[in-house]
Amino acid sequence: MANIAAKRIKREFKEVMKSEEVADGTLKLELVNNSWTELKGQIAGPSETPYEGGKFILEIKVPETYPFNPPKIRFLTRIWHPNVSSVTGAICLDILKDQWAAALTLRTVLLSIQALLSAAEPNDPQDAVVAKQYRENIELFHLTAQHWTNVYAGGPNVILDFVQKVQMLTDMGVDENQARVALSTFDWELERATEQLFS
Amino acid sequence: MGFDIKRFQGDVDEELICPICSGVLEDPLQAPACEHAFCRACITEWISRQPTCPVDRQAVTASQLRPVPRILRNLLSRLCTSCDNAPHGCNAVLKLDSLASHLVDCEYNPKRLMPCEAGCGLVIPKDELAEHNCVRELRVLIASQQGKLTDYQQELTEQRLIINEHKRELALLKEFMRAMRVSNPAMRALADQMEREEVVRWASSLARARVTRWGGMISTPDDVLQVMMIKRSLSESGCPSHIIDDLMENCHERRWPPGLSSLETRQNNRRLYEKYVCKRVPGKQAVLVLQCDNTHVDEHMMVEPGLVMIFAHGIE
């Protein structure tokens, strides 16, 4: 790995560790290997959002050309958000693409991702299905996002109705995650979800 | 790329850190409007990818980058840093602005040139000294010089060929001129001049000789034994053919000028001998006193085209 990238990441790692966000538990960062090329981050769901109370884990890959190119970051924790793929965890955020600037750091990038959870951009979606629900039925979107946060990120709000619907499908032999994706996609209408799953 | 911050004594102000490499600014440049500063190498690399300020994304091109203000440069130059060769044992602590001059002759520099003390006399980087093998290195040197020598020899052979070619051509031209000079007075003057110049050239190619004992002069040399030997030697030294016979004639006192022609006149003019500019006849106890070398000598002591004096001994 290029010397400059390793040097920067080491320094940024320390910066994150000393930050108040780590002290108050909003951010976490750990190394995956000793070569400073891969890290694991964790952000807390912001308050007054459906993600509140959840802990979201991020995969951070540092390219050899860092900081001239942005780090590659995606959600490892599944999340229901217009700018994050519900399938792969890929994030649509301008600073991770063409708006990357060399002076940005792991800390500022993690905080930007956290801010993205508070302020979705449904007009520049990574996941069209989620974005459509966000635009057309914001209350249902909130509940779905809360449910996903509860199931995958350890959030506190159990949406009983959704849990039961998922249970019904899993009782029919459907994989739990597939059942949840289908139901979320079809606005929790059991019939349409079932139709799609068994067609 | 900037200097590693760990090399510096005490805290380094955040303003002196390059936002790209996170090291202490090295040869910094700043963006024109926002005045954000970066290492030259870092910002050049960034702008080649994206023409914006890496901090605030304002548009910036490479030609717009400016040197940073003197105050910033002064703050940087005052920072105290360890030497690049600290891992190799250098304990020096230097101001950043004197680091470069220190590095040039830091004795801990593993690449510093050192003479080999085992006797081969080669100069090699310090870290290669342990692996250094005089015989091997010298063999490499010999091989490369052998190669050069071969090249030179080849060139020499080619040059000789060319010279011989020229000599042949020259001889032909001379022949041609000899034929012409009889009928054409201008050609005669030209040919005479060329002959004079040839004599001068030959004279200047001969070594100076010093006569330590003028008394050893042989005024009536033996034709066969002495004169023929001298003639061969002169011919080998490149004596122009048009004067060689005259010169050989001038070995004998009967052809010498009035001032030398008898024992008596020689006795009288002995003190004038030291004025002669003498040239060595290679390998012989004899000197040439050529007219072209001795225009300063009295007329009664000189003849055309010069004298040959044979000695029993005493030539240096």
Side-chain angles (χ1 to χ4, degrees):
Chain A
M1 176 172 215
N3 191 17
I4 183 165
K7 232 176 85 175
R8 270 268 313 236
I9 291 295
K10 278 180 204 172
R11 193 173 146 84
E12 290 174 31
F13 187 77
K14 274 187 211 139
E15 181 198 42
V16 172
M17 287 314 177
K18 282 191 282 186
S19 69
E20 52 185 83
E21 291 86 11
V22 164
D24 65 20
T26 331
L27 293 184
K28 270 190 192 166
L29 190 61
E30 61 183 58
L31 282 171
V32 173
N33 60 24
N34 286 330
S35 63
W36 301 90
T37 54
E38 197 172 337
L39 300 94
K40 216 173 247 184
Q42 183 187 297
I43 54 176
S47 55
E48 289 167 38
T49 70
Y51 311 104
E52 186 171 3
K55 304 280 188 200
F56 297 88
I57 296 173
L58 296 153
E59 175 191 82
I60 303 167
K61 287 188 171 166
V62 182
E64 234 170 83
T65 48
Y66 187 80
F68 299 106
N69 290 110
K72 294 185 171 62
I73 304 183
R74 69 180 185 102
F75 277 90
L76 290 177
T77 307
R78 305 192 73 165
I79 182 167
W80 192 253
H81 186 284
N83 303 109
V84 183
S85 164
S86 60
V87 183
T88 62
I91 307 169
C92 178
L93 182 60
D94 56 358
I95 60 159
L96 292 179
K97 292 172 183 159
D98 55 337
Q99 287 300 301
W100 167 252
L104 292 169
T105 65
L106 289 179
R107 176 171 167 268
T108 55
V109 167
L110 289 176
L111 290 174
S112 298
I113 294 172
Q114 199 189 27
L116 184 68
L117 297 188
S118 319
E121 285 282 351
N123 296 322
D124 183 19
Q126 179 73 38
D127 193 311
V129 175
V130 185
K132 183 166 174 280
Q133 190 183 59
Y134 184 95
R135 283 195 303 266
E136 292 171 1
N137 192 345
I138 185 94
E139 275 116 52
L140 196 63
F141 164 78
H142 267 273
L143 286 173
T144 309
Q146 252 176 5
H147 171 68
W148 281 54
T149 305
N150 167 240
V151 174
Y152 295 118
N157 301 312
V158 181
I159 314 295
L160 205 56
D161 178 35
F162 293 175
V163 174
Q164 283 166 352
K165 282 179 174 161
V166 171
Q167 186 64 47
M168 284 167 76
L169 285 175
T170 51
D171 287 348
M172 291 158 73
V174 179
D175 172 73
E176 186 196 325
N177 290 328
Q178 279 182 345
R180 185 168 294 107
V181 170
L183 286 163
S184 302
T185 304
F186 293 105
D187 294 342
W188 299 95
E189 289 171 24
L190 203 52
E191 208 169 299
R192 281 168 65 202
T194 315
E195 197 177 300
Q196 193 251 351
L197 282 168
F198 290 99
S199 65
Chain B
M1 183 170 161
F3 303 99
D4 193 336
I5 193 157
K6 289 193 216 98
R7 285 176 50 177
F8 292 84
Q9 309 249 303
D11 286 337
V12 177
D13 194 288
E14 199 61 33
E15 298 298 321
L16 305 178
I17 303 291
C18 170
I20 298 177
C21 68
S22 76
V24 172
L25 290 168
E26 181 176 12
D27 190 10
L29 292 174
Q30 68 177 27
C34 57
E35 299 186 348
H36 288 117
F38 314 91
C39 304
R40 180 187 294 271
C42 295
I43 190 63
T44 311
E45 170 81 32
W46 171 259
I47 284 190
S48 75
R49 292 158 190 263
Q50 201 172 309
T52 59
C53 168
V55 178
D56 57 20
R57 292 193 282 254
Q58 285 193 51
V60 182
T61 61
S63 60
Q64 289 172 325
L65 294 170
R66 296 280 169 269
V68 298
R70 175 183 298 277
I71 183 166
L72 185 55
R73 288 203 300 274
N74 288 349
L75 287 173
L76 281 168
S77 65
R78 267 180 224 161
L79 295 175
C80 290
T81 174
S82 60
C83 171
D84 288 19
N85 301 315
H88 302 289
C90 182
N91 292 321
V93 173
L94 310 132
K95 294 259 188 279
L96 198 49
D97 58 352
S98 56
L99 180 63
S101 62
H102 167 78
L103 287 177
V104 172
D105 40 32
C106 173
E107 58 181 303
Y108 292 93
N109 179 358
K111 288 284 170 205
R112 196 163 68 108
L113 295 178
M114 304 273 287
C116 167
E117 277 164 12
C120 75
L122 294 176
V123 177
I124 25 195
K126 196 175 165 188
D127 61 343
E128 288 168 29
L129 209 53
E131 293 286 302
H132 169 71
N133 178 329
C134 295
V135 174
R136 189 182 56 216
E137 297 296 326
L138 289 175
R139 282 181 94 108
V140 172
L141 198 67
I142 288 173
S144 85
Q145 287 182 342
Q146 204 75 52
K148 276 187 203 159
L149 205 62
T150 317
D151 289 349
Y152 289 144
Q153 271 167 345
Q154 200 172 346
E155 203 180 315
L156 198 67
T157 317
E158 282 166 18
Q159 295 290 351
R160 271 199 191 124
L161 262 164
I162 294 171
I163 288 174
N164 284 340
E165 202 69 24
H166 287 167
K167 272 185 181 164
R168 255 199 301 281
E169 218 166 298
L170 216 59
L172 264 171
L173 281 172
K174 278 183 185 163
E175 207 56 44
F176 180 66
M177 283 181 74
R178 246 192 297 282
M180 294 278 285
R181 74 197 294 186
V182 185
S183 56
N184 188 334
M187 191 59 83
R188 199 174 308 145
L190 198 64
D192 288 349
Q193 195 192 339
M194 279 179 69
E195 282 176 355
R196 274 198 301 279
E197 279 169 8
E198 198 181 356
V199 174
V200 171
R201 255 201 314 280
W202 170 64
S204 65
S205 76
L206 297 170
R208 280 290 288 267
R210 199 165 75 85
V211 180
T212 54
R213 306 184 63 170
W214 289 98
M217 190 191 295
I218 302 171
S219 55
T220 52
D222 182 290
D223 263 6
V224 181
L225 274 179
Q226 289 167 316
V227 176
M228 290 315 286
M229 300 277 275
I230 300 287
K231 186 172 179 179
R232 185 182 307 157
S233 175
L234 286 181
S235 175
E236 280 166 6
S237 75
C239 177
S241 54
H242 68 277
I243 58 165
I244 196 159
D245 289 331
D246 285 340
L247 278 177
M248 293 331 296
E249 288 294 318
N250 295 351
C251 285
H252 201 283
E253 66 172 6
R254 65 177 175 254
R255 292 283 298 261
W256 285 356
L260 294 173
S261 57
S262 67
L263 190 60
E264 194 190 345
T265 53
R266 287 202 289 278
Q267 289 286 346
N268 289 340
N269 293 321
R270 223 181 148 134
R271 63 197 162 75
L272 297 176
Y273 289 170
E274 292 302 330
K275 285 191 178 182
Y276 282 140
V277 172
C278 304
K279 290 286 167 67
R280 193 77 204 257
V281 178
K284 300 284 172 267
Q285 285 290 316
V287 297
L288 276 162
V289 184
L290 289 165
Q291 222 239 334
C292 65
D293 285 336
N294 290 281
T295 46
H296 58 289
V297 177
D298 287 346
E299 233 172 88
H300 72 285
M301 295 295 285
M302 183 46 69
V303 288
E304 278 274 12
L307 304 163
V308 178
M309 295 175 171
I310 300 171
F311 290 80
H313 45 71
I315 307 298
E316 284 179 358

PDB file of all heavy atoms in Angstrom, chain B residues 162-189:
ATOM      1  N   ILE B 162      42.829   5.805 -43.322  1.00  0.00           N
ATOM      2  CA  ILE B 162      42.497   7.098 -43.924  1.00  0.00           C
ATOM      3  C   ILE B 162      43.768   7.928 -44.114  1.00  0.00           C
ATOM      4  O   ILE B 162      43.981   8.532 -45.172  1.00  0.00           O
ATOM      5  CB  ILE B 162      41.488   7.858 -43.032  1.00  0.00           C
ATOM      6  CG1 ILE B 162      40.154   7.100 -43.019  1.00  0.00           C
ATOM      7  CG2 ILE B 162      41.272   9.279 -43.537  1.00  0.00           C
ATOM      8  CD1 ILE B 162      39.156   7.610 -42.020  1.00  0.00           C
ATOM      9  N   ILE B 163      44.652   7.902 -43.069  1.00  0.00           N
ATOM     10  CA  ILE B 163      45.886   8.685 -43.155  1.00  0.00           C
ATOM     11  C   ILE B 163      46.748   8.198 -44.328  1.00  0.00           C
ATOM     12  O   ILE B 163      47.282   8.993 -45.103  1.00  0.00           O
ATOM     13  CB  ILE B 163      46.656   8.610 -41.824  1.00  0.00           C
ATOM     14  CG1 ILE B 163      45.917   9.437 -40.767  1.00  0.00           C
ATOM     15  CG2 ILE B 163      48.088   9.111 -41.995  1.00  0.00           C
ATOM     16  CD1 ILE B 163      46.477   9.326 -39.388  1.00  0.00           C
ATOM     17  N   ASN B 164      46.867   6.901 -44.457  1.00  0.00           N
ATOM     18  CA  ASN B 164      47.651   6.347 -45.557  1.00  0.00           C
ATOM     19  C   ASN B 164      47.096   6.781 -46.910  1.00  0.00           C
ATOM     20  O   ASN B 164      47.834   7.136 -47.821  1.00  0.00           O
ATOM     21  CB  ASN B 164      47.687   4.818 -45.481  1.00  0.00           C
ATOM     22  CG  ASN B 164      48.653   4.369 -44.398  1.00  0.00           C
ATOM     23  OD1 ASN B 164      49.535   5.132 -43.989  1.00  0.00           O
ATOM     24  ND2 ASN B 164      48.471   3.151 -43.918  1.00  0.00           N
ATOM     25  N   GLU B 165      45.784   6.771 -46.940  1.00  0.00           N
ATOM     26  CA  GLU B 165      45.092   7.207 -48.140  1.00  0.00           C
ATOM     27  C   GLU B 165      45.502   8.645 -48.472  1.00  0.00           C
ATOM     28  O   GLU B 165      45.870   8.974 -49.595  1.00  0.00           O
ATOM     29  CB  GLU B 165      43.580   7.144 -47.859  1.00  0.00           C
ATOM     30  CG  GLU B 165      42.710   7.044 -49.068  1.00  0.00           C
ATOM     31  CD  GLU B 165      42.864   5.699 -49.772  1.00  0.00           C
ATOM     32  OE1 GLU B 165      43.258   4.694 -49.127  1.00  0.00           O
ATOM     33  OE2 GLU B 165      42.606   5.699 -50.960  1.00  0.00           O
ATOM     34  N   HIS B 166      45.485   9.496 -47.431  1.00  0.00           N
ATOM     35  CA  HIS B 166      45.840  10.904 -47.602  1.00  0.00           C
ATOM     36  C   HIS B 166      47.291  11.070 -48.012  1.00  0.00           C
ATOM     37  O   HIS B 166      47.623  11.919 -48.837  1.00  0.00           O
ATOM     38  CB  HIS B 166      45.572  11.672 -46.291  1.00  0.00           C
ATOM     39  CG  HIS B 166      44.122  11.886 -46.029  1.00  0.00           C
ATOM     40  ND1 HIS B 166      43.631  12.305 -44.831  1.00  0.00           N
ATOM     41  CD2 HIS B 166      43.034  11.701 -46.822  1.00  0.00           C
ATOM     42  CE1 HIS B 166      42.321  12.392 -44.880  1.00  0.00           C
ATOM     43  NE2 HIS B 166      41.928  12.013 -46.089  1.00  0.00           N
ATOM     44  N   LYS B 167      48.146  10.252 -47.404  1.00  0.00           N
ATOM     45  CA  LYS B 167      49.574  10.335 -47.720  1.00  0.00           C
ATOM     46  C   LYS B 167      49.804  10.057 -49.195  1.00  0.00           C
ATOM     47  O   LYS B 167      50.570  10.758 -49.861  1.00  0.00           O
ATOM     48  CB  LYS B 167      50.362   9.322 -46.887  1.00  0.00           C
ATOM     49  CG  LYS B 167      50.794   9.856 -45.534  1.00  0.00           C
ATOM     50  CD  LYS B 167      51.654   8.824 -44.849  1.00  0.00           C
ATOM     51  CE  LYS B 167      52.096   9.293 -43.481  1.00  0.00           C
ATOM     52  NZ  LYS B 167      52.590   8.163 -42.683  1.00  0.00           N
ATOM     53  N   ARG B 168      49.135   9.024 -49.671  1.00  0.00           N
ATOM     54  CA  ARG B 168      49.275   8.664 -51.078  1.00  0.00           C
ATOM     55  C   ARG B 168      48.833   9.831 -51.962  1.00  0.00           C
ATOM     56  O   ARG B 168      49.516  10.214 -52.916  1.00  0.00           O
ATOM     57  CB  ARG B 168      48.430   7.429 -51.391  1.00  0.00           C
ATOM     58  CG  ARG B 168      49.281   6.156 -51.547  1.00  0.00           C
ATOM     59  CD  ARG B 168      48.529   5.077 -52.298  1.00  0.00           C
ATOM     60  NE  ARG B 168      47.291   4.696 -51.656  1.00  0.00           N
ATOM     61  CZ  ARG B 168      47.210   3.879 -50.607  1.00  0.00           C
ATOM     62  NH1 ARG B 168      48.310   3.364 -50.090  1.00  0.00           N
ATOM     63  NH2 ARG B 168      46.052   3.576 -50.073  1.00  0.00           N
ATOM     64  N   GLU B 169      47.741  10.395 -51.589  1.00  0.00           N
ATOM     65  CA  GLU B 169      47.192  11.501 -52.356  1.00  0.00           C
ATOM     66  C   GLU B 169      48.165  12.688 -52.359  1.00  0.00           C
ATOM     67  O   GLU B 169      48.397  13.324 -53.385  1.00  0.00           O
ATOM     68  CB  GLU B 169      45.868  11.932 -51.720  1.00  0.00           C
ATOM     69  CG  GLU B 169      44.806  12.314 -52.718  1.00  0.00           C
ATOM     70  CD  GLU B 169      43.452  12.403 -52.054  1.00  0.00           C
ATOM     71  OE1 GLU B 169      42.984  11.355 -51.536  1.00  0.00           O
ATOM     72  OE2 GLU B 169      42.886  13.503 -52.015  1.00  0.00           O
ATOM     73  N   LEU B 170      48.748  12.919 -51.155  1.00  0.00           N
ATOM     74  CA  LEU B 170      49.684  14.015 -50.987  1.00  0.00           C
ATOM     75  C   LEU B 170      50.914  13.828 -51.868  1.00  0.00           C
ATOM     76  O   LEU B 170      51.390  14.767 -52.527  1.00  0.00           O
ATOM     77  CB  LEU B 170      50.102  14.077 -49.512  1.00  0.00           C
ATOM     78  CG  LEU B 170      50.322  15.457 -48.922  1.00  0.00           C
ATOM     79  CD1 LEU B 170      49.050  16.288 -49.039  1.00  0.00           C
ATOM     80  CD2 LEU B 170      50.737  15.329 -47.468  1.00  0.00           C
ATOM     81  N   ALA B 171      51.419  12.612 -51.859  1.00  0.00           N
ATOM     82  CA  ALA B 171      52.599  12.303 -52.657  1.00  0.00           C
ATOM     83  C   ALA B 171      52.329  12.584 -54.140  1.00  0.00           C
ATOM     84  O   ALA B 171      53.148  13.175 -54.849  1.00  0.00           O
ATOM     85  CB  ALA B 171      52.999  10.845 -52.456  1.00  0.00           C
ATOM     86  N   LEU B 172      51.141  12.185 -54.564  1.00  0.00           N
ATOM     87  CA  LEU B 172      50.744  12.424 -55.943  1.00  0.00           C
ATOM     88  C   LEU B 172      50.702  13.907 -56.260  1.00  0.00           C
ATOM     89  O   LEU B 172      51.226  14.363 -57.282  1.00  0.00           O
ATOM     90  CB  LEU B 172      49.355  11.829 -56.191  1.00  0.00           C
ATOM     91  CG  LEU B 172      49.328  10.436 -56.792  1.00  0.00           C
ATOM     92  CD1 LEU B 172      47.907   9.892 -56.773  1.00  0.00           C
ATOM     93  CD2 LEU B 172      49.865  10.488 -58.228  1.00  0.00           C
ATOM     94  N   LEU B 173      50.123  14.667 -55.326  1.00  0.00           N
ATOM     95  CA  LEU B 173      50.020  16.108 -55.524  1.00  0.00           C
ATOM     96  C   LEU B 173      51.400  16.745 -55.616  1.00  0.00           C
ATOM     97  O   LEU B 173      51.641  17.639 -56.424  1.00  0.00           O
ATOM     98  CB  LEU B 173      49.221  16.723 -54.377  1.00  0.00           C
ATOM     99  CG  LEU B 173      47.713  16.559 -54.501  1.00  0.00           C
ATOM    100  CD1 LEU B 173      47.029  17.012 -53.228  1.00  0.00           C
ATOM    101  CD2 LEU B 173      47.191  17.379 -55.684  1.00  0.00           C
ATOM    102  N   LYS B 174      52.323  16.269 -54.749  1.00  0.00           N
ATOM    103  CA  LYS B 174      53.678  16.818 -54.762  1.00  0.00           C
ATOM    104  C   LYS B 174      54.352  16.562 -56.111  1.00  0.00           C
ATOM    105  O   LYS B 174      55.008  17.441 -56.663  1.00  0.00           O
ATOM    106  CB  LYS B 174      54.499  16.180 -53.649  1.00  0.00           C
ATOM    107  CG  LYS B 174      54.277  16.825 -52.299  1.00  0.00           C
ATOM    108  CD  LYS B 174      55.196  16.158 -51.299  1.00  0.00           C
ATOM    109  CE  LYS B 174      54.941  16.660 -49.904  1.00  0.00           C
ATOM    110  NZ  LYS B 174      55.532  15.731 -48.935  1.00  0.00           N
ATOM    111  N   GLU B 175      54.137  15.353 -56.550  1.00  0.00           N
ATOM    112  CA  GLU B 175      54.681  14.967 -57.840  1.00  0.00           C
ATOM    113  C   GLU B 175      54.168  15.911 -58.934  1.00  0.00           C
ATOM    114  O   GLU B 175      54.910  16.429 -59.761  1.00  0.00           O
ATOM    115  CB  GLU B 175      54.237  13.526 -58.136  1.00  0.00           C
ATOM    116  CG  GLU B 175      55.166  12.761 -59.054  1.00  0.00           C
ATOM    117  CD  GLU B 175      56.583  12.732 -58.497  1.00  0.00           C
ATOM    118  OE1 GLU B 175      56.787  12.490 -57.273  1.00  0.00           O
ATOM    119  OE2 GLU B 175      57.508  12.993 -59.288  1.00  0.00           O
ATOM    120  N   PHE B 176      52.886  16.149 -58.829  1.00  0.00           N
ATOM    121  CA  PHE B 176      52.207  17.010 -59.780  1.00  0.00           C
ATOM    122  C   PHE B 176      52.792  18.421 -59.743  1.00  0.00           C
ATOM    123  O   PHE B 176      53.071  19.052 -60.761  1.00  0.00           O
ATOM    124  CB  PHE B 176      50.715  17.018 -59.416  1.00  0.00           C
ATOM    125  CG  PHE B 176      49.871  17.868 -60.304  1.00  0.00           C
ATOM    126  CD1 PHE B 176      49.697  17.546 -61.655  1.00  0.00           C
ATOM    127  CD2 PHE B 176      49.216  18.986 -59.813  1.00  0.00           C
ATOM    128  CE1 PHE B 176      48.916  18.316 -62.472  1.00  0.00           C
ATOM    129  CE2 PHE B 176      48.421  19.758 -60.624  1.00  0.00           C
ATOM    130  CZ  PHE B 176      48.260  19.427 -61.957  1.00  0.00           C
ATOM    131  N   MET B 177      53.038  18.918 -58.484  1.00  0.00           N
ATOM    132  CA  MET B 177      53.572  20.259 -58.318  1.00  0.00           C
ATOM    133  C   MET B 177      54.989  20.362 -58.866  1.00  0.00           C
ATOM    134  O   MET B 177      55.355  21.359 -59.485  1.00  0.00           O
ATOM    135  CB  MET B 177      53.565  20.642 -56.841  1.00  0.00           C
ATOM    136  CG  MET B 177      52.194  21.012 -56.378  1.00  0.00           C
ATOM    137  SD  MET B 177      52.213  21.482 -54.668  1.00  0.00           S
ATOM    138  CE  MET B 177      52.974  23.074 -54.796  1.00  0.00           C
ATOM    139  N   ARG B 178      55.777  19.338 -58.595  1.00  0.00           N
ATOM    140  CA  ARG B 178      57.151  19.354 -59.106  1.00  0.00           C
ATOM    141  C   ARG B 178      57.142  19.518 -60.621  1.00  0.00           C
ATOM    142  O   ARG B 178      57.932  20.273 -61.189  1.00  0.00           O
ATOM    143  CB  ARG B 178      57.870  18.060 -58.708  1.00  0.00           C
ATOM    144  CG  ARG B 178      59.017  18.335 -57.720  1.00  0.00           C
ATOM    145  CD  ARG B 178      59.902  17.126 -57.550  1.00  0.00           C
ATOM    146  NE  ARG B 178      59.201  15.982 -56.973  1.00  0.00           N
ATOM    147  CZ  ARG B 178      58.922  15.854 -55.671  1.00  0.00           C
ATOM    148  NH1 ARG B 178      59.273  16.805 -54.819  1.00  0.00           N
ATOM    149  NH2 ARG B 178      58.300  14.813 -55.220  1.00  0.00           N
ATOM    150  N   ALA B 179      56.214  18.806 -61.229  1.00  0.00           N
ATOM    151  CA  ALA B 179      56.124  18.901 -62.689  1.00  0.00           C
ATOM    152  C   ALA B 179      55.699  20.306 -63.119  1.00  0.00           C
ATOM    153  O   ALA B 179      56.169  20.839 -64.115  1.00  0.00           O
ATOM    154  CB  ALA B 179      55.116  17.865 -63.194  1.00  0.00           C
ATOM    155  N   MET B 180      54.823  20.920 -62.335  1.00  0.00           N
ATOM    156  CA  MET B 180      54.291  22.232 -62.687  1.00  0.00           C
ATOM    157  C   MET B 180      55.283  23.369 -62.446  1.00  0.00           C
ATOM    158  O   MET B 180      55.320  24.350 -63.201  1.00  0.00           O
ATOM    159  CB  MET B 180      53.029  22.524 -61.845  1.00  0.00           C
ATOM    160  CG  MET B 180      51.870  21.628 -62.123  1.00  0.00           C
ATOM    161  SD  MET B 180      50.950  22.164 -63.573  1.00  0.00           S
ATOM    162  CE  MET B 180      50.079  23.576 -62.919  1.00  0.00           C
ATOM    163  N   ARG B 181      56.088  23.236 -61.356  1.00  0.00           N
ATOM    164  CA  ARG B 181      56.885  24.388 -60.909  1.00  0.00           C
ATOM    165  C   ARG B 181      57.909  24.819 -61.962  1.00  0.00           C
ATOM    166  O   ARG B 181      58.300  25.976 -61.993  1.00  0.00           O
ATOM    167  CB  ARG B 181      57.562  24.117 -59.579  1.00  0.00           C
ATOM    168  CG  ARG B 181      58.744  23.157 -59.678  1.00  0.00           C
ATOM    169  CD  ARG B 181      59.104  22.604 -58.349  1.00  0.00           C
ATOM    170  NE  ARG B 181      59.605  23.595 -57.425  1.00  0.00           N
ATOM    171  CZ  ARG B 181      60.088  23.273 -56.228  1.00  0.00           C
ATOM    172  NH1 ARG B 181      60.078  22.012 -55.821  1.00  0.00           N
ATOM    173  NH2 ARG B 181      60.545  24.200 -55.447  1.00  0.00           N
ATOM    174  N   VAL B 182      58.341  23.896 -62.760  1.00  0.00           N
ATOM    175  CA  VAL B 182      59.326  24.223 -63.791  1.00  0.00           C
ATOM    176  C   VAL B 182      58.774  25.290 -64.729  1.00  0.00           C
ATOM    177  O   VAL B 182      59.459  26.247 -65.065  1.00  0.00           O
ATOM    178  CB  VAL B 182      59.677  22.945 -64.608  1.00  0.00           C
ATOM    179  CG1 VAL B 182      60.775  23.244 -65.603  1.00  0.00           C
ATOM    180  CG2 VAL B 182      60.046  21.810 -63.664  1.00  0.00           C
ATOM    181  N   SER B 183      57.539  25.119 -65.134  1.00  0.00           N
ATOM    182  CA  SER B 183      56.978  26.019 -66.142  1.00  0.00           C
ATOM    183  C   SER B 183      56.284  27.229 -65.528  1.00  0.00           C
ATOM    184  O   SER B 183      56.187  28.278 -66.151  1.00  0.00           O
ATOM    185  CB  SER B 183      55.989  25.252 -67.022  1.00  0.00           C
ATOM    186  OG  SER B 183      55.011  24.678 -66.175  1.00  0.00           O
ATOM    187  N   ASN B 184      55.813  27.127 -64.294  1.00  0.00           N
ATOM    188  CA  ASN B 184      54.966  28.174 -63.728  1.00  0.00           C
ATOM    189  C   ASN B 184      55.631  28.813 -62.507  1.00  0.00           C
ATOM    190  O   ASN B 184      55.804  28.164 -61.478  1.00  0.00           O
ATOM    191  CB  ASN B 184      53.624  27.530 -63.343  1.00  0.00           C
ATOM    192  CG  ASN B 184      52.608  28.572 -62.921  1.00  0.00           C
ATOM    193  OD1 ASN B 184      52.986  29.650 -62.456  1.00  0.00           O
ATOM    194  ND2 ASN B 184      51.352  28.231 -63.069  1.00  0.00           N
ATOM    195  N   PRO B 185      56.003  30.128 -62.590  1.00  0.00           N
ATOM    196  CA  PRO B 185      56.690  30.778 -61.462  1.00  0.00           C
ATOM    197  C   PRO B 185      55.821  30.873 -60.196  1.00  0.00           C
ATOM    198  O   PRO B 185      56.340  30.748 -59.089  1.00  0.00           O
ATOM    199  CB  PRO B 185      57.015  32.175 -61.984  1.00  0.00           C
ATOM    200  CG  PRO B 185      56.398  32.305 -63.319  1.00  0.00           C
ATOM    201  CD  PRO B 185      55.807  31.018 -63.739  1.00  0.00           C
ATOM    202  N   ALA B 186      54.540  31.060 -60.372  1.00  0.00           N
ATOM    203  CA  ALA B 186      53.659  31.141 -59.208  1.00  0.00           C
ATOM    204  C   ALA B 186      53.688  29.821 -58.445  1.00  0.00           C
ATOM    205  O   ALA B 186      53.772  29.772 -57.218  1.00  0.00           O
ATOM    206  CB  ALA B 186      52.242  31.466 -59.648  1.00  0.00           C
ATOM    207  N   MET B 187      53.643  28.750 -59.222  1.00  0.00           N
ATOM    208  CA  MET B 187      53.683  27.414 -58.635  1.00  0.00           C
ATOM    209  C   MET B 187      55.002  27.194 -57.917  1.00  0.00           C
ATOM    210  O   MET B 187      55.064  26.581 -56.861  1.00  0.00           O
ATOM    211  CB  MET B 187      53.482  26.384 -59.753  1.00  0.00           C
ATOM    212  CG  MET B 187      53.240  24.986 -59.259  1.00  0.00           C
ATOM    213  SD  MET B 187      51.810  24.877 -58.207  1.00  0.00           S
ATOM    214  CE  MET B 187      50.545  24.761 -59.442  1.00  0.00           C
ATOM    215  N   ARG B 188      56.073  27.779 -58.487  1.00  0.00           N
ATOM    216  CA  ARG B 188      57.392  27.622 -57.877  1.00  0.00           C
ATOM    217  C   ARG B 188      57.391  28.246 -56.482  1.00  0.00           C
ATOM    218  O   ARG B 188      57.826  27.634 -55.504  1.00  0.00           O
ATOM    219  CB  ARG B 188      58.449  28.286 -58.763  1.00  0.00           C
ATOM    220  CG  ARG B 188      59.869  27.816 -58.483  1.00  0.00           C
ATOM    221  CD  ARG B 188      60.827  28.398 -59.499  1.00  0.00           C
ATOM    222  NE  ARG B 188      60.378  28.150 -60.887  1.00  0.00           N
ATOM    223  CZ  ARG B 188      60.546  28.998 -61.886  1.00  0.00           C
ATOM    224  NH1 ARG B 188      61.122  30.174 -61.685  1.00  0.00           N
ATOM    225  NH2 ARG B 188      60.126  28.700 -63.104  1.00  0.00           N
ATOM    226  N   ALA B 189      56.857  29.474 -56.405  1.00  0.00           N
ATOM    227  CA  ALA B 189      56.815  30.167 -55.112  1.00  0.00           C
ATOM    228  C   ALA B 189      56.006  29.351 -54.101  1.00  0.00           C
ATOM    229  O   ALA B 189      56.394  29.172 -52.945  1.00  0.00           O
ATOM    230  CB  ALA B 189      56.187  31.545 -55.290  1.00  0.00           C
TER     231      ALA B 189
END
